[in-house]
Amino acid sequence: PRGHPRRHAGRMLESLTLQCPFCGERFEAVVDASGGDADYVEDCPVCCRPIRLRLQAGADGGIDRLDADRDD
């Protein structure tokens, strides 16, 4: 994923371009790594299928890794 950090209400939000594992379309997702590692589901804005996002946050509150996989 590629991204651009920005601050919002004291948190570091990063806008990342992801590719849907179902339809292959690219879309933008906003991620907040300041709360640590996270595992959640977000629907693809193109095909509406559920994508499992697994975030690994760094010690500095940035993103070390973000995996986007099928949630089926």
Side-chain angles (χ1 to χ4, degrees):
R2 291 174 278 152
H4 305 284
R6 59 185 174 191
R7 288 217 176 267
H8 178 71
R11 296 184 303 178
M12 180 61 81
L13 299 178
E14 192 160 345
S15 176
L16 300 174
T17 301
L18 301 175
Q19 185 172 6
C20 175
F22 292 99
C23 69
E25 291 292 325
R26 295 191 179 278
F27 66 95
E28 184 176 313
V30 177
V31 179
D32 179 10
S34 65
D37 294 349
D39 189 355
Y40 59 97
V41 175
E42 183 170 320
D43 290 341
C44 172
V46 178
C47 72
C48 301
R49 303 282 301 267
I51 302 168
R52 181 179 179 202
L53 299 175
R54 287 188 312 269
L55 170 70
Q56 290 180 339
D60 63 353
I63 297 171
D64 278 352
R65 181 181 178 120
L66 179 64
D67 294 319
D69 299 309
R70 295 169 66 119
D71 187 45
D72 58 1

